[in-house]
Amino acid sequence: MPETNDKPEFSRGLEGVIAAETKIGYVDGQAGRLVYRGYEISELAGKSNYEEVSYLLVNGHLPNEKEYRDYDRKLKELRTLKPDTYSLIKEIGKSAHPMSTLRTVVSYIGAKDSRTVEPNLDEQHDLGIELIAKMPTIVGAINRVYRGEEIVKPDHDLTYSDFFFHQAMGRKPSDVESKMLDTALILHADHGMNASTFACMLTISTLSDMYSAVTSAISALKGPLHGGANERALALIEKVGSPENADKVIGKMIENKEKIMGFGHRVYKVYDPRAKILKEYAHEVTSMNGKEELFHTANKIEEVMISKLGNKGIFPNVDFYSGMLYSSIGFSREVFTPIFAVGRISGWVARSLEYVRENRLFRPKALYSGTKELLKYVPINERD
Ligand code: ACO
């Protein structure tokens, strides 16, 4: 029988529906603010580092020196991948999009871990920390293999983001690259109940394991309306090619009712605070790499978009400048969304742990709009 709704309250896509309580962070879409555990994102991006922010999200407070050392040591200890995981990454090679490889690899590591059978809360926590630790190693290796390059031996002295950079690029980052990547990971670490975080929480709410939950999250992040927008945003900036073309190309796309990737947000109706910070870095790094034209083109696209759609609350989101930034430091376009996953892993884990501690199975309803009349089954050979 179809579900019935005596008193239907219908919100397509659950827009505006509050379905969980959290102390982890909030997004103020009208003021353009993002706060992690009481700290403004610009404060954390300027003064903290990814390890500290990850600890903050998972544990609820900034670590003292001992807590920091212990967390850092744990992440370093758990970074390593087993040889069969590298073999799997190599076997998939260039035959899949890196986001599909990432999803498969996370699922594979989970399948080999006996704690994923029926984990208790402590085990869910341990699995989550292990995932936070392994994510840069996995994405780094995927990047190498995707580009036909040798996998890099882990250097355990490096910080989280420098380690990631080294695993992905085969060299250590410059100071600017290091700060930029660390900042990008911090800015992506958590963002309310976005689609991938919700997917993660939904899966853990069935008391499934953290690896399965994160596999769901990666699947959701892959889509072009979510994490997949950064690849397409850079493609668009390159297609526009120069600031002079922006008015014509973007104007035509708007006329044709096409969505411009890297703009608009379900929550922000003003400038995304993460985009503001990434824009500054994008300017800096493109000037250093002689790719300023790319930045000026993006800036002009932004101007055109705001003049035409700013009144509808359409502004650049985090994905508009992140792709340009990653490309300028040498990442392949197909790896932009996996980089997002390296940052977001801490938010996925923190929110899933928070939710499952006071668990309530997610189970929304659908408003049935099909026929109410009961139909008689007609055998296939008697149908029109
Ligand atoms: N380009 C052009 N027009 C847009 C855009 C855009 N990027 N985004 C929204 N609009 C327009 C819509 O066409 C619609 O116009 P209408 O009222 O004339 O029909 C209006 O703004 C409202 O759009 P919705 O899609 O209903 O807005 P919603 O809040 O649901 O969308 C979303 C949010 C999905 C992110 C949307 O802005 C979009 O598709 N953006 C492009 C993809 C993107 O950049 N995604 C990354 C988001 S950030 C992240 O996930 C990390």
Side-chain angles (χ1 to χ4, degrees):
M1 283 299 284
E3 293 183 352
T4 55
N5 262 31
D6 296 336
K7 200 173 128 233
E9 277 179 26
F10 177 36
S11 174
R12 191 176 291 281
L14 296 178
E15 188 168 354
V17 172
I18 295 174
E21 206 180 341
T22 185
K23 292 189 169 58
I24 291 177
Y26 70 91
V27 185
D28 183 337
Q30 297 305 326
R33 292 182 66 202
L34 172 61
V35 174
Y36 296 168
R37 301 263 190 202
Y39 296 93
E40 188 95 45
I41 191 67
S42 53
E43 174 105 339
L44 292 171
K47 298 181 180 162
S48 188
N49 66 11
Y50 187 78
E51 290 86 330
E52 212 178 46
V53 169
S54 172
Y55 183 97
L56 172 71
L57 291 170
V58 174
N59 296 291
H61 61 271
L62 283 172
N64 63 28
E65 284 183 8
K66 180 177 182 315
E67 288 167 332
Y68 181 86
R69 266 198 313 277
D70 291 348
Y71 192 64
D72 183 48
R73 194 179 49 240
K74 180 137 246 165
L75 292 182
K76 285 179 172 153
E77 275 166 17
L78 295 171
R79 276 173 176 173
T80 319
L81 303 180
K82 293 198 175 127
D84 57 332
T85 308
Y86 285 118
S87 303
L88 175 65
I89 294 171
K90 286 182 189 157
E91 196 186 319
I92 299 173
K94 269 190 91 88
S95 68
H97 187 282
M99 271 308 269
S100 299
T101 312
L102 176 61
R103 185 193 59 223
T104 305
V105 170
V106 167
S107 174
Y108 174 80
I109 302 176
K112 308 278 274 189
D113 190 325
S114 60
R115 292 170 299 172
T116 57
V117 176
E118 218 173 292
N120 60 33
L121 285 178
D122 288 341
E123 285 167 331
Q124 294 283 32
H125 175 271
D126 293 349
L127 294 173
I129 301 302
E130 186 144 357
L131 268 160
I132 295 172
K134 287 189 173 12
M135 205 59 128
T137 330
I138 300 170
V139 175
I142 291 174
N143 187 55
R144 300 296 294 171
V145 171
Y146 196 77
R147 289 155 45 133
E149 293 164 348
E150 286 297 310
I151 282 172
V152 180
K153 205 167 158 278
D155 180 341
H156 292 297
D157 289 336
L158 299 176
T159 63
Y160 191 89
S161 50
D162 285 0
F163 173 79
F164 173 41
F165 188 100
H166 185 240
Q167 288 287 289
M169 313 301 297
R171 65 175 175 91
K172 290 183 187 165
S174 67
D175 289 350
V176 177
E177 287 168 331
S178 166
K179 178 67 190 152
M180 205 164 60
L181 186 59
D182 197 53
T183 303
L185 296 184
I186 292 172
L187 295 177
H188 285 86
D190 185 61
H191 205 248
M193 256 176 94
N194 57 83
S196 57
T197 302
F198 180 44
C200 204
M201 292 165 64
L202 173 73
T203 301
I204 209 117
S205 85
T206 69
L207 300 187
S208 183
D209 67 280
M210 190 63 84
Y211 271 87
S212 303
V214 169
T215 304
S216 304
I218 294 167
S219 309
L221 185 68
K222 181 170 174 284
L225 294 188
H226 191 11
N230 52 15
E231 259 184 69
R232 289 163 179 82
L234 181 63
L236 173 71
I237 300 164
E238 286 173 351
K239 184 179 128 190
V240 171
S242 74
E244 297 74 48
N245 297 336
D247 213 8
K248 193 163 155 235
V249 178
I250 301 300
K252 189 139 196 77
M253 288 177 79
I254 294 173
E255 234 175 81
N256 293 340
K257 298 235 161 275
E258 285 177 61
K259 285 266 176 83
I260 315 297
M261 293 293 137
F263 284 86
H265 199 274
R266 178 57 67 76
V267 184
Y268 292 121
K269 298 304 167 198
V270 294
Y271 211 109
D272 181 333
R274 302 165 299 172
K276 246 184 224 164
I277 299 171
L278 290 180
K279 182 178 178 182
E280 282 171 27
Y281 277 112
H283 194 188
E284 187 177 342
V285 79
T286 49
S287 326
M288 279 166 39
N289 295 353
K291 292 187 176 168
E292 263 178 311
E293 180 81 347
L294 202 62
F295 176 80
H296 292 310
T297 306
N299 198 36
K300 185 67 191 168
I301 295 174
E302 178 186 318
E303 256 178 61
V304 174
M305 281 295 285
I306 294 176
S307 72
K308 293 189 189 291
L309 295 176
N311 62 342
K312 277 193 184 176
I314 310 288
F315 291 88
N317 61 48
V318 69
D319 281 333
F320 190 58
Y321 288 103
S322 64
M324 182 188 307
L325 205 71
Y326 301 148
S327 147
S328 302
I329 56 178
F331 280 102
S332 306
R333 182 164 312 181
E334 295 79 3
V335 186
F336 295 171
T337 315
I339 301 172
F340 190 144
V342 175
R344 186 55 57 84
I345 182 67
S346 293
W348 288 338
V349 168
R351 290 202 181 239
S352 300
L353 289 174
E354 181 187 54
Y355 190 80
V356 77
R357 283 188 197 114
E358 309 273 338
N359 196 47
R360 178 86 182 146
L361 177 70
F362 278 108
R363 187 23 177 123
K365 291 205 254 179
L367 181 64
Y368 180 69
S369 59
T371 178
K372 292 272 164 66
E373 188 191 331
L374 283 180
L375 305 176
K376 195 168 158 32
Y377 182 84
V378 180
I380 193 163
N381 58 343
E382 292 171 26
R383 289 176 212 156
D384 295 338

